[in-house]
Amino acid sequence: MRRVSSGGPEIERLIQLLAKLPGLGPRSARRAALHLIKNRDAVMTPLAQALKTAAEQIRVCGVCGNLDTHDPCAICTDISRDAKTLCVVEEVADLWALERAAMFNGRYHVLGGTLSALDGIGPDDLNIPKLVARVREAGVAEVVLATNATVDGQTTAHYLAGALAAAGVAVTRLAHGVPVGGELDYLDDGTLAAAFRGRKAL
Amino acid sequence: MEWRDEGIVLAVRKHSESSVIVSVLTEQHGRHAGLVRGGGGRRLRGVLQSGNQVAVAWRARLADHLGNYQVELVRARAAAVLDDAARLAAVTAACALIERAFPEREPVADAFPALVAMLDAIEASPVWPSRYVRWEMTLLAELGYALDLERCAVTGATAGLAFVSPSSGRAVTAAAAGPYRERLLPLPAFLGRAEDAAVVPAAEIAAGLALTGHFLSANVFNHRTKPLPAARLRLLDYFHAQATKYGA
């Protein structure tokens, strides 16, 4: 028996597009579409306008790889930030996470991924040559490698440490270990081992 | 269809939003892939790192299907080497070599215990670089391309071996090499010994990696038009750099 569409082709198209978003399957996309239609003035129209503006105006920062409506981005042009400290992250989402923590007042460099032997991602496929040039030219004193604590993330960090060795800057990385609120009993062996190796005097 | 086994995680590929396809070198089922639901999530991401030792339960309706894995961590080997560039490169190189070189779902005798022994050495032994080179020689033998470094291919002598023929993989003495020595591969001295009691100099490790790399390239990877994995090339670069920095 042929499935009958519950709405017109426009609604089906909307549901199909919403289902492509992370975290949304076909059922939740259908619910989201219904919510948008029911709240046309309050949600749907402003959302459509916001999407249109974002699609037209958001671009990749030519200096750090961040996403912003201006190039260079707001972080790169902020004179109150410490230009001598550079934090290297894998993705823009990591930059946003660090900005949420409000711990770092330097500038960023987004790699756009990690080295991966299996996927054939090499240094030239990432934003690495630009990082090396930036460190050499911009008077950077410290590079903080904030890559993920994964095999690929740390492989990339070690590669960057080697690539930046000749630049004469301090290269540091984030600590690995027990998260705030973490109970030792529930931690995996790897995290516990890393925390134990990185113990500090009190 | 269902079986349980133990293995080493070789590679993880994203599949849909939260699932991953994990390739594992298992003890009894060879290199075997399976789908891990939720493998991209926070709970399993740390477990599914290359080099980690895991217990797996594989289930599928038919033997030909990809099947689903239930994975449990046995030993977090990746975390133990994350801080050490050379050790991390060796673990990723070993995993990438097996992932690319071994046929899928064909048990290879002794491959799992050999890999586990080598990973044990990488974690704890100061002579791990020479053990790694020896492990690559074992890998070549398992794939049918064993090197014969016991005696000279020309004279049959067992002493004074200094080169290896790049085509046959057999050792040659310095005397027998004569005018052909430029065309032969240097045989590092540590490969002439049964075991390594002391740390082998970086230059010898680099020569060993170049030797096994040549035969891996020529016999295992080239005919599939694949280069050596990037992690393996980085490992060789590391020992070349160490040899240049600190001398032999």
Side-chain angles (χ1 to χ4, degrees):
Chain A
M1 202 173 99
R2 199 168 70 84
R3 226 182 87 209
V4 180
S5 170
S6 51
E10 292 79 11
I11 294 177
E12 281 302 315
R13 173 91 178 128
L14 177 64
I15 292 168
Q16 277 172 14
L17 288 172
L18 286 170
K20 289 184 179 180
L21 295 176
L24 291 189
R27 271 173 180 271
S28 37
R30 203 166 284 274
R31 285 177 57 210
L34 271 174
H35 180 80
L36 289 170
I37 294 162
K38 279 182 186 170
N39 300 279
R40 198 173 300 213
D41 294 335
V43 184
M44 196 181 204
T45 309
L47 177 66
Q49 280 165 355
L51 285 171
K52 188 170 181 290
T53 311
E56 284 169 357
Q57 294 186 12
I58 289 179
R59 62 203 73 188
V60 177
C61 173
V63 179
C64 71
N66 188 17
L67 296 175
D68 202 335
T69 48
H70 298 95
D71 182 11
C73 69
I75 292 176
C76 288
T77 50
D78 185 349
I79 52 166
S80 69
R81 284 185 170 263
D82 178 11
K84 290 188 173 175
T85 316
L86 200 63
C87 181
V88 180
V89 293
E90 289 178 18
E91 301 287 356
V92 173
D94 304 324
L95 186 158
W96 291 351
L98 286 166
E99 280 296 284
R100 274 201 309 273
M103 273 292 297
F104 179 68
N105 194 40
R107 292 192 172 151
Y108 292 94
H109 193 89
V110 182
L111 292 174
T114 54
L115 298 176
S116 173
L118 211 74
D119 299 330
I121 300 172
D124 293 337
D125 301 314
L126 302 175
N127 215 354
I128 291 177
K130 206 180 263 184
L131 169 68
V132 177
R134 195 176 166 195
V135 168
R136 284 200 176 127
E137 290 161 13
V140 174
E142 182 185 356
V143 176
V144 184
L145 301 175
T147 52
N148 290 334
T150 59
V151 167
D152 286 345
Q154 291 309 297
T155 298
T156 309
H158 289 305
Y159 178 85
L160 290 175
L164 296 171
V169 294
V171 179
T172 56
R173 72 151 171 79
L174 298 187
H176 300 155
V178 184
V180 174
E183 293 177 36
L184 297 191
D185 194 22
Y186 289 97
L187 289 183
D188 65 280
D189 305 357
T191 306
L192 272 175
F196 212 81
R197 277 197 306 274
R199 65 188 182 274
K200 281 178 167 180
L202 287 175
Chain B
M1 298 291 305
E2 185 174 341
W3 50 255
R4 287 172 184 276
D5 206 342
E6 197 165 307
I8 301 289
V9 176
L10 300 175
V12 180
R13 294 177 185 85
K14 264 195 92 165
H15 181 81
S16 77
E17 204 175 308
S18 60
S19 300
V20 292
I21 294 173
V22 180
S23 178
V24 180
L25 178 71
T26 60
E27 190 167 10
Q28 291 159 32
H29 299 84
R31 184 171 73 85
H32 202 294
L35 182 80
V36 178
R37 293 192 190 281
R42 200 179 293 176
R43 191 176 66 83
L44 282 172
R45 210 181 301 149
V47 174
L48 300 174
Q49 294 291 315
S50 301
N52 274 354
Q53 195 163 339
V54 290
V56 289
W58 182 80
R59 279 189 199 89
R61 197 166 61 80
L62 296 172
D64 290 346
H65 287 180
L66 172 67
N68 291 301
Y69 266 144
Q70 295 277 345
V71 186
E72 198 175 314
L73 184 67
V74 173
R75 191 163 165 183
R77 292 179 179 276
V81 298
L82 281 186
D83 292 344
D84 188 314
R87 283 182 158 93
L88 182 59
V91 170
T92 48
C95 290
L97 284 175
I98 295 179
E99 174 64 13
R100 295 240 193 121
F102 275 24
E104 209 178 341
R105 299 190 177 197
E106 277 186 36
V108 181
D110 299 331
F112 177 75
L115 179 62
V116 166
M118 195 272 290
L119 292 176
D120 282 343
I122 287 179
E123 268 185 64
S125 172
V127 297
W128 71 266
S130 50
R131 296 265 179 87
Y132 178 87
V133 177
R134 290 181 195 282
W135 173 79
E136 282 198 352
M137 287 178 57
T138 313
L139 184 72
L140 279 165
E142 279 163 352
L143 293 167
Y145 304 103
L147 306 183
D148 179 5
L149 308 181
E150 297 287 313
R151 55 180 50 81
C152 177
V154 182
T155 63
T158 54
L161 298 168
F163 298 98
V164 178
S165 161
S167 51
S168 71
R170 298 181 69 189
V172 182
T173 60
Y180 300 104
R181 62 176 57 211
E182 295 300 318
R183 295 188 208 170
L184 301 173
L185 298 165
L187 173 63
F190 80 94
L191 288 178
R193 297 190 290 269
E195 265 305 317
D196 304 306
V199 175
V200 175
E204 275 197 54
I205 298 296
L209 288 172
L211 179 71
T212 50
H214 167 82
F215 290 102
L216 283 167
S217 260
N219 299 324
V220 182
F221 290 98
N222 246 16
H223 70 274
R224 297 181 196 177
T225 62
K226 287 180 186 169
L228 274 175
R232 174 60 174 74
L233 298 173
R234 277 199 293 274
L235 185 65
L236 177 60
D237 288 345
Y238 173 84
F239 281 102
H240 269 313
Q242 291 294 306
T244 312
K245 194 171 173 185
Y246 301 111

